[in-house]
C-alpha cells in the first residue's frame, strides 16, 4: 500500500514509556508534563489525554486558551493546568472558574487576576527572575509582588500555590547561583509572612542532571518526547524513545542526464545520469531550506541526500540507479530503526536543537496516533466523542 503524501506518526506507547521512565527517575518528586507549542508539535489534546490516562496530575501549557481547550475535552480539575504567559488583555475569569493555575510575575498582573475573581480564589504561582530575564519578578520587585499576593490571599481573592523560576542552563555555576537567588527569595517571602507551599525550578535538562534542583516538582518537556537536551547525549543513551516519525511518499521520479541543474538556483548538479525522486514536503511543512547538503532521508533503508534547494512544498533527492518508485515511503526522521536520522541528529546537522525541528512541523502534515495507548480518553477524542 502506498504511503500517505506526508504524515507525522505519533507513537503514544513511546510517549508513555518516556513518561514512566522520567517519573521513575524523579521519584518522589512530582513531574509536570510540559505541552507548550501544541505539545511540541505532537498534538496537545491526544498527548494530554495520554498523560492523564497514565496518571499525570500536573500539565504545563503556556497559555490560558490552551488550558481551557483541555478542560473542554474533559481534563478534570484533579489535573492541575499551569499557565504562565498571558495576553495583556486577557480576562482571567474563565481561567479562575476552571481552576487553571496562573503564573504571575508582577503586581499589575496579580491585580488583574484578583479583580477577575468571582467566587473561588485564583490559584497563583509567583514567578521569580533568577537570571533568565524572560519572566518573573526581579529581586528588586519581588518584595512588592509578595506583599500584594499576601494581601490578596488574606482577602480571599487568591491562593498562592507555589513559587517558581526558570534556569538559564548556561553553566553549573550560573545555575547554582540562580537557585541560591531563588532560595533567598522564598526565604524573604516567608519573612514577609507568606507561606509558599510548593517550589518548582528545574526543567528537563536541569531536572535530569541536578538532583538538588528538583525541589517539589520538575517541569519535563523535551525528554518526554524522546528529545534529550544534553549535548552529545542521544535518546538511546538515556533509554528514551523518539515519539514523532516524519514520513512522506515519493510523489514523482524522473531520469536525468549528467550535469543537470536541480531546483532553484541550480545549487546542485548531477554528476552522472541519475534518478531524481520528488518528496512532497517543504519549508512550509517545517523542513528548513538549510537542509540541503546537511540532511539525508531514508528510502527502503538507504539514505539519500537532499538535492538542490528545499522549496515551499517539496524537495528532490538523488537516488542514483536504485529502484525507487512512486509511492515508496520516505522517512525524514524517526527512531533510527529504518536507517533514518533522528530528530536530534537533524538538530545537530542544522545547528539547532531537536525541539525546534518538531515544533516547526506544520499543520498540513497530519498527525497519526499509533500504539496500544490509542485507547481510553485518547480513543474517545480521536473518534470525536470528547
Amino acid at each position: 500500500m502506498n504511503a500517505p503524501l506526508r504524515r507525522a506518526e505519533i507513537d503514544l506507547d513511546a510517549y508513555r514509556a518516556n513518561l514512566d521512565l522520567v517519573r521513575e527517575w524523579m521519584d518522589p518528586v512530582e513531574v509536570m508534563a510540559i505541552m507548550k507549542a501544541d505539545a511540541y508539535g505532537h498534538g496537545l489534546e491526544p498527548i494530554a489525554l495520554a498523560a492523564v490516562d497514565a496518571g499525570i496530575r500536573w500539565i504545563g501549557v503556556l497559555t490560558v486558551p490552551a488550558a481551557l481547550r483541555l478542560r473542554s475535552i474533559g481534563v478534570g480539575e484533579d489535573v492541575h493546568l499551569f499557565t504562565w504567559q498571558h495576553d495583556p488583555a486577557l480576562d482571567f475569569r474563565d481561567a479562575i472558574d476552571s481552576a487553571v493555575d496562573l503564573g504571575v510575575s508582577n503586581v499589575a498582573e496579580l491585580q488583574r487576576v484578583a479583580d477577575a475573581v468571582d467566587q473561588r480564589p485564583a490559584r497563583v504561582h509567583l514567578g521569580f527572575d533568577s537570571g533568565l530575564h524572560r519572566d518573573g519578578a526581579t529581586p528588586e520587585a519581588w518584595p512588592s509582588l509578595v506583599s500584594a499576593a499576601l494581601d490578596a490571599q488574606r482577602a480571599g481573592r487568591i491562593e498562592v500555590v507555589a513559587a517558581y523560576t526558570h534556569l538559564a542552563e548556561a553553566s553549573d555555576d550560573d545555575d547554582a547561583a540562580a537557585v541560591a537567588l531563588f532560595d533567598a527569595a522564598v526565604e524573604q517571602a516567608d519573612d514577609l509572612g507568606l507561606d509558599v507551599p510548593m517550589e518548582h525550578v528545574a526543567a528537563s535538562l536541569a531536572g535530569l542532571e541536578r538532583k538538588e534542583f528538583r525541589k517539589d516538582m520538575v517541569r519535563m518537556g523535551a525528554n518526554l518526547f524522546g528529545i534529550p537536551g544534553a549535548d552529545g547525549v542521544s535518546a538511546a543513551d538515556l533509554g528514551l524513545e523518539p515519539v514523532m516519525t516524519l514520513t512522506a511518499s515519493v510523489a514523482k521520479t524522473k531520469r536525468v542526464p549528467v550535469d543537470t541543474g536541480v531546483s532553484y538556483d541550480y545549487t546542485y548538479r548531477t554528476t552522472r545520469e541519475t534518478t531524481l525522486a520528488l518528496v512532497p514536503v517543504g519549508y512550509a511543512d517545517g523542513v528548513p531550506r538549510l537542509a540541503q547538503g546537511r540532511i539525508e532521508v531514508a528510502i527502503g533503508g538507504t539514505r539519500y541526500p537532499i538535492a538542490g534547494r528545499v522549496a515551499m512544498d517539496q524537495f528532490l533527492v538523488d537516488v542514483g540507479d536504485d529502484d525507487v518508485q512512486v509511492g515508496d515511503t520516505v522517512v525524514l526522521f524517526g527512531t533510527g530503526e529504518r536507517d533514518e536520522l533522528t530528530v536530534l541528529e537533524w538538530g545537530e546537522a542544522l545547528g539547532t536543537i531537536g525541539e525546534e525541528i518538531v515544533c516547526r512541523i506544520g499543520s498540513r502534515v497530519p498527525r497519526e496516533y499509533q500504539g496500544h495507548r490509542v485507547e481510553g480518553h485518547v480513543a474517545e477524542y480521536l473518534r470525536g466523542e470528547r
Side-chain angles (χ1 to χ4, degrees):
M1 180 182 294
N2 289 344
L5 198 63
R6 59 181 79 85
R7 67 175 176 176
E9 302 166 7
I10 310 300
D11 186 344
L12 294 180
D13 288 346
Y15 182 77
R16 172 62 184 269
N18 295 339
L19 190 58
D20 289 346
L21 183 60
V22 168
R23 293 171 80 184
E24 180 182 334
W25 291 339
M26 296 301 108
D27 185 62
V29 173
E30 190 79 46
V31 171
M32 178 189 290
I34 298 297
M35 301 183 191
K36 56 187 178 179
D38 198 32
Y40 290 68
H42 293 67
L44 174 60
E45 289 88 344
I47 291 293
L49 291 172
V52 170
D53 284 346
I56 278 288
R57 289 299 174 260
W58 284 89
I59 292 175
V61 289
L62 187 66
T63 67
V64 165
L68 294 178
R69 279 167 54 195
L70 293 185
R71 288 284 189 250
S72 74
I73 63 167
V75 176
E77 292 183 14
D78 58 324
V79 178
H80 302 296
L81 302 179
F82 175 58
T83 67
W84 62 97
Q85 190 177 92
H86 309 305
D87 187 322
L90 178 67
D91 184 336
F92 287 101
R93 281 178 292 184
D94 288 344
I96 297 166
D97 290 344
S98 299
V100 173
D101 286 33
L102 303 167
V104 173
S105 297
N106 58 68
V107 173
E109 194 170 58
L110 179 69
Q111 189 60 55
R112 288 175 50 222
V113 171
D115 288 345
V117 170
D118 182 13
Q119 296 180 355
R120 66 199 304 175
R123 291 174 53 88
V124 168
H125 299 227
L126 298 180
F128 177 76
D129 182 1
S130 60
L132 188 59
H133 303 314
R134 296 189 316 203
D135 194 12
T138 63
E140 295 76 19
W142 177 251
S144 296
L145 178 60
V146 169
S147 295
L150 185 58
D151 289 343
Q153 182 161 267
R154 285 171 175 167
R157 311 297 288 178
I158 72 168
E159 174 193 353
V160 175
V161 175
Y164 72 100
T165 194
H166 200 309
L167 304 179
E169 298 176 351
S171 71
D172 287 347
D173 288 344
D174 286 322
D175 286 350
V179 173
L181 198 62
F182 174 78
D183 289 342
V186 173
E187 184 175 345
Q188 186 178 34
D190 184 67
D191 291 342
L192 291 169
L194 180 65
D195 176 54
V196 177
M198 177 181 285
E199 302 170 29
H200 50 104
V201 168
S204 290
L205 181 58
L208 285 184
E209 297 188 344
R210 303 295 294 270
K211 186 175 182 179
E212 69 274 23
F213 293 168
R214 292 176 184 173
K215 303 291 186 181
D216 300 300
M217 181 162 60
V218 174
R219 304 183 300 266
M220 278 285 168
N223 285 314
L224 300 181
F225 299 98
I227 311 170
D231 290 341
V233 177
S234 70
D237 292 335
L238 294 174
L240 299 170
E241 302 178 34
V243 175
M244 181 187 291
T245 296
L246 182 64
T247 68
S249 59
V250 174
K252 298 177 183 178
T253 62
K254 63 179 61 176
R255 197 73 179 165
V256 297
V258 64
D259 199 33
T260 295
V262 177
S263 194
Y264 291 120
D265 302 323
Y266 288 175
T267 56
Y268 181 90
R269 287 184 176 273
T270 60
T271 59
R272 65 205 184 292
E273 183 182 357
T274 190
T275 297
L276 301 176
L278 182 72
V279 181
V281 183
Y283 61 76
D285 304 296
V287 177
R289 292 181 81 240
L290 290 174
Q292 177 189 357
R294 304 185 187 190
I295 294 296
E296 295 178 332
V297 299
I299 307 174
T302 300
R303 290 187 186 178
Y304 299 99
I306 293 178
R309 298 275 194 218
V310 174
M312 181 181 293
D313 306 304
Q314 62 252 310
F315 61 82
L316 291 158
V317 292
D318 186 338
V319 301
D321 296 326
D322 291 348
D323 183 24
V324 172
Q325 302 291 326
V326 170
D328 286 353
T329 298
V330 182
V331 188
L332 284 79
F333 60 75
T335 64
E337 295 175 353
R338 289 179 278 184
D339 199 39
E340 77 275 19
L341 296 173
T342 66
V343 71
L344 188 65
E345 290 171 319
W346 268 60
E348 292 170 347
L350 295 167
T352 185
I353 56 178
E355 295 99 301
E356 180 181 350
I357 301 301
V358 291
C359 288
R360 289 173 65 113
I361 304 307
S363 60
R364 72 177 181 179
V365 179
R367 273 62 172 171
E368 296 189 3
Y369 297 90
Q370 303 176 349
H372 294 97
R373 295 298 168 183
V374 185
E375 59 185 12
H377 293 148
V378 180
E380 291 173 4
Y381 174 78
L382 294 175
R383 290 196 301 263
E385 297 172 3
R386 293 180 73 85

